[in-house]
């Protein structure tokens, strides 16, 4: 008998035998995001039995898990009722407390994802032009060159590499840092710090203290210091890049304060990084596990745009964002009190049986593909066009040169409740 597919929810519900309460707690268990079978079993159960479910998990402040596509979309689109500010992402209670203390000292991150209207809109407008199609076209040659360089790097590694760590991790960071205008000599530092910030629940990533609020705060402090200096340098001598644009931007005639600027850089450098790395690595893993789809895409490169969209849906690297109710309300008839938070599960919305035909089938020709991996509404991912371009550029470069590819060991996923995905993808390949 074939072994169960890691993404077959029914098999895994039976294997894991979860109750609804246990399934809810899976969402607040970093290690569960490193076990795709368990995660999708839990999400499928919640979608079916308790699509709006109150989760009380050790070490976390309680929240409502929202797992159906329609509900995630409805909450995101009502930004007057559902606020980002109090609790935009799921963190441990200890980290929530540490961040609250920082906020009281005026040192907390104040980026787009931490803000609501009216502050959010003008701040978003500052960088928006840099992510529009015209700016993307200007960046295209640079991204293609980076894609080529990273496929060349695979060739230099010979016939095996850890694709997640050696290729997919650096590639998108370099693209985003090029857009920001940072010197290439600082890229390795940024790579370490962004991984420490997002992979803080995972001991393989970041510092030996990973999993503690200290690891997260340490990365944050270093990033703040770096971007503080960058702001001063760009104000003194603008260099026509995104960093200079943010450093020189004014709202109501006033320059942005240091914390807001550092938060802006940090958001762009971090949001643009692990998300896209995970999609590139997870996209290749999906192609390896579905050789028919790899063959189809190689024979018909015109399918690349739908294939990229399917990789983004399949991987859904952002596991969730949160919103907090401004007033008493309901979601799918379930009463939610003012001040309570909902967790919007993108991997779940993107496997919703009511929206996707055979959601557990990886289909490079899937069309339509109404995935919510980039969110929706006023906080819709600012870098969506860039992410699509980067993923497409890498596969456009790789696929024509890839004579064969297979797994060369067990892949491993990051243990985290925020931006997840593959941290190891050992592969064996032949490139032309
Ligand atoms: C916001 C996903 C790549 C920059 C978001 C959100 C999601 C997301 C789910 C929150 C949306 C919401 O609350 O409705 C992704 C995925 C990516 C990706 C899946 C890759 C496949 C990028 C890239 C950048 C970027 C390359 C480039 C800088 C941002 C920013 C925000 C954001 C600045 C905050 C927008 C706001 O709050 O107004 N992204 N992202 N992302 N993303 Fe991305």
């Amino acid at each position: 008998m074939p072994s169960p597919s890691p993404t077959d929810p029914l098999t895994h519900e039976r294997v894991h035998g979860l109750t609804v309460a246990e399934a809810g707690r899976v969402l607040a268990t970093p290690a569960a995001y490193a076990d795709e079978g368990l995660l999708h079993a839990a999400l499928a159960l919640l979608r079916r039995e308790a699509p709006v479910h109150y989760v009380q998990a050790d070490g976390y402040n309680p929240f409502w898990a929202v797992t159906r596509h329609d509900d995630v979309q409805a909450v995101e689109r009502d930004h007057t009722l559902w606020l980002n500010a109090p609790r935009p992402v799921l963190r441990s209670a200890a980290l929530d407390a540490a961040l609250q203390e920082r906020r009281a000292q005026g040192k907390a991150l104040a980026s787009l994802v931490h803000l609501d209207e009216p502050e959010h809109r003008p701040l978003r407008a500052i960088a928006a032009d840099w992510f529009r199609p015209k700016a993307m076209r200007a960046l295209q040659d640079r991204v293609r060159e980076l894609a080529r360089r990273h496929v060349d790097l695979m060739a230099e590694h010979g016939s095996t590499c850890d694709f997640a760590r050696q290729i997919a991790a650096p590639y998108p960071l370099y693209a985003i840092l090029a857009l920001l205008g940072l010197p290439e000599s600082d890229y390795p530092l940024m790579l370490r710090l962004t991984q420490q910030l997002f992979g803080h629940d995972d001991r393989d990533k970041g510092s030996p203290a990973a999993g503690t609020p200290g690891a997260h705060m340490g990365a944050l402090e270093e990033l703040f210091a770096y971007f503080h200096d960058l702001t001063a340098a760009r104000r003194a001598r603008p260099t026509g890049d995104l960093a200079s644009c943010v450093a020189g931007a004014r709202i109501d005639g006033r320059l942005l304060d240091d914390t807001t600027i550092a938060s802006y850089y940090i958001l762009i450098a971090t949001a643009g990084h692990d998300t896209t790395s995970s999609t590139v690595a997870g996209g290749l893993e999906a192609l390896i596990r579905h050789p028919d789809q790899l063959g189809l895409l190689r024979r018909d490169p015109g399918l690349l745009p739908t294939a990229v969209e399917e990789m983004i849906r399949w991987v859904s690297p952002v596991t969730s964002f949160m919103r907090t109710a401004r007033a008493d309300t309901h979601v799918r008839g379930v009463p939610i009190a003012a001040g309570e938070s909902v967790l919007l599960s993108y991997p779940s919305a993107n496997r919703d049986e009511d929206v996707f035909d055979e959601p557990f089938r990886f289909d490079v020709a899937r069309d339509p593909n109404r995935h919510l991996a980039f969110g929706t509404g006023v906080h819709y991912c600012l870098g969506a066009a860039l992410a699509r371009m980067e993923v497409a550029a890498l596969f456009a470069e790789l696929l024509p040169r890839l004579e064969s590819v297979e797994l060369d060991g067990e892949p491993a996923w990051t243990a985290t409740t925020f931006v997840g995905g593959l941290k190891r993808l050992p592969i064996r390949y032949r490139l032309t």
Side-chain angles (χ1 to χ4, degrees):
M1 219 172 80
S3 62
S5 142
T7 45
D8 174 347
L10 293 177
T11 312
H12 278 275
E13 270 175 54
R14 279 196 297 275
V15 170
H16 294 290
L18 293 166
T19 64
V20 165
E22 286 163 351
R25 284 195 291 275
V26 159
L27 298 187
T29 308
Y33 290 85
D35 178 347
E36 290 235 292
L38 171 63
L39 177 68
H40 281 295
L43 294 175
L45 186 65
L46 290 171
R47 276 197 305 279
R48 202 181 58 226
E49 303 288 336
V52 182
H53 173 67
Y54 196 61
V55 179
Q56 288 174 289
D58 283 351
Y60 286 82
N61 293 314
F63 59 89
W64 292 90
V66 173
T67 45
R68 295 281 280 268
H69 188 283
D70 283 2
D71 297 333
V72 170
Q73 187 165 265
V75 168
E76 290 223 46
R77 288 193 173 162
D78 191 350
H79 65 269
T80 52
L81 175 61
W82 292 104
L83 304 178
N84 274 46
R87 197 181 176 192
V89 294
L90 183 66
R91 303 282 192 206
S92 66
L95 190 47
D96 274 348
L99 289 168
Q100 210 162 356
E101 202 181 304
R102 251 190 108 95
R103 203 169 303 136
Q105 298 164 352
K107 282 163 60 188
L109 281 178
S111 77
L112 296 176
V113 298
H114 301 85
L115 293 174
D116 296 294
E117 305 312 332
E119 291 86 11
H120 170 261
R121 190 188 302 255
L123 200 63
R124 184 170 164 122
I126 290 170
D129 279 349
W130 288 80
F131 292 95
R132 288 195 219 285
K134 193 171 152 216
M136 289 301 104
R137 280 194 294 277
L139 198 62
Q140 196 157 36
D141 286 346
R142 178 86 175 109
V143 170
R144 278 193 192 132
E145 185 221 313
L146 283 169
R148 197 168 313 126
R149 240 209 265 174
H150 283 83
V151 176
D152 286 345
L153 192 60
M154 276 178 78
E156 282 166 31
H157 284 299
S159 60
T160 60
C161 74
D162 179 347
F163 184 81
R165 202 171 48 80
Q166 293 173 301
I167 309 298
Y171 164 63
L173 183 66
Y174 291 6
I176 197 72
L177 296 182
L179 180 68
L180 270 173
L182 265 51
E184 234 180 292
S185 52
D186 289 352
Y187 290 5
L189 173 69
M190 286 295 126
L191 183 62
R192 177 175 67 77
L193 291 177
T194 57
Q195 286 185 335
Q196 197 169 318
L197 196 67
F198 272 173
H200 70 276
D201 291 326
D202 194 310
R203 285 171 203 285
D204 267 14
K205 287 198 169 186
S207 72
T212 64
H216 182 87
M217 291 303 174
L220 211 53
E221 288 288 352
E222 277 193 66
L223 284 164
F224 261 96
Y226 178 92
F227 286 120
H228 177 82
D229 293 348
L230 181 72
T231 303
R234 290 298 192 270
R235 279 186 181 158
R237 194 180 309 195
T239 41
D241 44 34
L242 177 52
S244 306
C245 162
V246 175
R250 290 172 188 270
I251 294 181
D252 296 333
R254 278 199 302 274
L255 288 167
L256 307 181
D257 63 65
D258 265 9
T259 307
T260 309
I261 293 204
S263 305
Y264 218 126
Y265 293 139
I266 291 173
L267 176 67
I268 287 175
T270 53
H273 180 206
D274 274 7
T275 47
T276 316
S277 302
S278 296
T279 307
V280 168
L284 182 62
E285 193 229 13
L287 290 173
I288 294 172
R289 289 196 192 272
H290 301 83
D292 58 322
Q293 298 298 301
L294 174 58
L296 194 61
L297 189 54
R298 280 175 59 102
R299 281 193 303 281
D300 184 359
L303 288 174
L304 194 56
T306 51
V308 167
E309 230 45 55
E310 180 69 341
M311 289 174 190
I312 296 169
R313 178 189 79 89
W314 190 253
V315 176
S316 295
V318 180
T319 63
S320 59
F321 265 99
M322 298 185 83
R323 298 290 189 269
T324 299
R326 187 199 286 270
D328 292 352
T329 185
H330 290 83
V331 176
R332 199 172 280 268
V334 177
I336 295 186
E340 289 185 330
S341 302
V342 293
L343 175 142
L344 309 170
S345 172
Y346 301 118
S348 181
N350 291 342
R351 295 286 201 280
D352 190 330
E353 298 76 2
D354 284 352
V355 175
F356 299 97
D357 189 27
E358 294 187 70
F360 285 86
R361 190 160 58 84
F362 178 72
D363 175 4
V364 294
R366 186 180 291 276
D367 187 19
N369 188 342
R370 295 172 45 220
H371 72 74
L372 291 176
F374 291 122
T376 183
V378 296
H379 288 277
Y380 179 76
C381 175
L382 191 59
L386 175 60
R388 288 181 168 118
M389 182 168 90
E390 288 174 38
V391 179
L394 200 281
F395 285 98
E397 190 64 35
L398 176 62
L399 292 178
R401 291 174 61 182
L402 193 63
E403 276 185 0
S404 67
V405 61
E406 60 187 355
L407 291 179
D408 187 36
E410 277 306 303
W413 281 261
T414 303
T416 175
T417 55
F418 188 26
V419 176
L422 283 163
K423 63 179 176 187
R424 271 201 303 278
L425 181 63
I427 57 169
R428 174 173 296 281
Y429 50 86
R430 243 193 353 257
L431 286 177
T432 56

